[in-house]
Amino acid sequence: MTADGLSLPTIVPILPLAYPLLLPGTVVPFPADGDWQRALAEDVLSGNGYVGVIQTVEPDPGLSAEPAVFAVGCLGLLEVGRSENPDEFLVGGVVRFRVLERLDPVRGYAMARIDCSEFLADQTEIEEGLPFWALRDIVRRRVEKLQPDFDFEVVERMAGTEIATALAHALPFSPLERQALMEVRRLGELEDTLLQLMAGPGMSRFEAPPLRIC
């Protein structure tokens, strides 16, 4: 199976993260604080570099290597972080996947058989660009309140999925609501889905915590 010329694995280590949400075209930090996280990072970096990042069902899953997770996640490439801390890593989102089967754990971390076939258009959409003008305007207006001297060229350079992720985690969404973004049929639907969530009962973009982009 391939996406944009990449050979994609069908069996991967699973990295459960409560947040931030990893989408194709975005990068999230991965602190390897425990034995199983360090074992996972070691094995992934010595292998093909791929790890399956899936959001946990609970907002605070504790330290378990196998908490309850959703069925759709994002395949990512793991790399050493830019800090001097050897236990900090980065994961770059490549393409979404669906879990077909949970497998026996390896060295304390979860494994799964996955299928990316229904999401192979992710890479094409990322390359073609996802402008998401409405979301960018919301980000601009919110950041202006907090950082009036902010260089907004940074926002213009952000991928559409980065804009969506930044808003999804600045707003008080539940894990289920954030997962709705992960499971859109096409990435191009992220803007409409996010706007619908923001307009939901009890949600006000003006009541949300301020959004800071560094």
Side-chain angles (χ1 to χ4, degrees):
M1 185 186 305
T2 62
D4 192 33
L6 296 175
S7 178
L8 301 177
T10 57
I11 296 177
V12 294
I14 293 298
L15 175 58
L17 287 181
Y19 56 85
L21 192 68
L22 180 67
L23 287 168
T26 69
V27 177
V28 301
F30 163 40
D33 297 327
D35 291 342
W36 71 266
Q37 291 106 323
R38 286 189 286 271
L40 182 151
E42 179 181 308
D43 291 349
V44 169
L45 289 174
S46 65
N48 59 19
Y50 282 112
V51 61
V53 178
I54 310 183
Q55 184 185 207
T56 59
V57 174
E58 296 295 328
D60 183 12
L63 300 178
S64 171
E66 294 192 77
V69 295
F70 290 98
V72 174
C74 185
L75 188 65
L77 283 169
L78 185 71
E79 62 181 58
V80 176
R82 300 184 182 91
S83 73
E84 295 180 355
N85 186 341
D87 291 331
E88 288 187 357
F89 302 88
L90 298 173
V91 184
V94 177
V95 62
R96 290 173 293 161
F97 65 84
R98 186 175 298 278
V99 173
L100 299 181
E101 180 185 7
R102 293 290 290 267
L103 304 176
D104 291 337
V106 173
R107 298 183 66 192
Y109 59 82
M111 297 287 294
R113 190 182 309 277
I114 65 169
D115 180 15
C116 300
S117 60
E118 66 184 285
F119 302 111
L120 291 181
D122 285 358
Q123 278 292 299
T124 301
E125 289 191 89
I126 292 293
E127 290 179 0
E128 291 177 349
L130 298 165
F132 293 163
W133 299 120
L135 296 184
R136 289 179 194 274
D137 182 59
I138 292 170
V139 169
R140 175 179 291 274
R141 287 188 281 113
R142 295 189 62 210
V143 172
E144 280 178 338
K145 294 180 180 180
L146 183 67
Q147 300 166 268
D149 297 327
F150 184 77
D151 180 4
F152 283 96
E153 288 188 8
V154 174
V155 176
E156 299 307 319
R157 291 194 298 268
M158 290 175 69
T161 47
E162 290 178 304
I163 292 288
T165 300
L167 278 171
H169 288 281
L171 293 162
F173 290 140
S174 69
L176 188 61
E177 289 170 320
R178 287 198 298 271
Q179 188 64 18
L181 300 174
M182 177 63 70
E183 300 194 23
V184 292
R185 187 177 59 88
R186 301 290 295 268
L187 292 177
E189 299 172 5
L190 279 169
E191 182 172 63
D192 285 346
T193 301
L194 187 47
L195 290 172
Q196 289 171 15
L197 289 172
M198 292 172 69
M203 176 64 65
S204 170
R205 68 186 65 172
F206 303 109
E207 296 172 356
L211 176 67
R212 181 179 291 274
I213 299 177
C214 301

